[in-house]
Amino acid sequence: MAQPVDRTELPVPAGRSGCPINMTMELLGDRWSLVVLRDLMFSSRTGFRELLNHSLEGIASNVLSARLSKLVAAGLLTRHQNPDHRQRIDYRLSEAAIDLVPVIVELGAWGVRWLPTTPALSIRAQVLADGGEDMRRQFVEELRTIHLEQRPRPVGGVLDRLDHEYQRVVDQPEVDPGE
């Protein structure tokens, strides 16, 4: 059953201070919350097992369970019964989570610029950063279609382009710098 969040503020406990940066860090500043949101934004995986089995960073099942519960309680995710499997719960981004896309894009761009990232895992962040505001807006609309309207992923959209660019980088043969 859908659990829409139509509040102006998320249902989170009072923080150490009313500073918006502090409050955001208290909600998202742990090791895994942004990674879980990233995985829901950039993949078609919405079930617990899918998220667990395809975690690049190897999140433990108890940690994933705790983060999903925390993000649902905070209003960033909603839980939905999967119509094809009675025991399966799917997680979907809320409008508040989708509103984090510019932040995620900027974090990714910053990481590409300043950290020792790998080409395959950096390409999506680079494409989104280079794509500008129009691409980010289209990406947000795709996420709304998928997560809020629960419609299939649009064909030929930003997610398809990001997947294509990722596959292109993965498929490139490694060049030996000594050659």
Side-chain angles (χ1 to χ4, degrees), residues 42-151:
F42 292 97
S43 77
S44 300
R45 299 177 197 104
T46 59
F48 180 86
R49 287 273 167 231
E50 295 169 319
L51 292 165
L52 181 67
N53 293 337
H54 292 94
S55 168
L56 296 172
E57 292 81 12
I59 191 170
S61 62
N62 63 321
V63 174
L64 176 59
S65 179
R67 289 316 176 274
L68 289 169
S69 294
K70 174 185 175 182
L71 294 169
V72 167
L76 292 173
L77 298 179
T78 57
R79 291 169 42 102
H80 301 265
Q81 186 72 47
N82 184 305
D84 299 330
H85 195 284
R86 290 180 27 177
Q87 293 180 335
R88 180 180 156 160
I89 299 295
D90 286 333
Y91 295 89
R92 299 203 181 269
L93 300 168
S94 70
E95 182 64 38
I98 292 170
D99 204 30
L100 284 168
V101 165
V103 174
I104 301 284
V105 169
E106 288 304 316
L107 282 172
W110 185 88
V112 168
R113 210 169 23 253
W114 294 102
L115 301 172
T117 59
T118 62
L121 297 178
S122 299
I123 191 64
R124 289 181 176 108
Q126 191 65 55
V127 168
L128 275 172
D130 292 347
E133 189 59 35
D134 285 342
M135 180 180 272
R136 283 190 290 279
R137 225 180 345 265
Q138 185 181 356
F139 183 52
V140 164
E141 288 308 313
E142 284 183 32
L143 292 175
R144 285 185 179 123
T145 297
I146 295 164
H147 291 274
L148 302 180
E149 299 170 16
Q150 298 183 30
R151 293 193 331 223

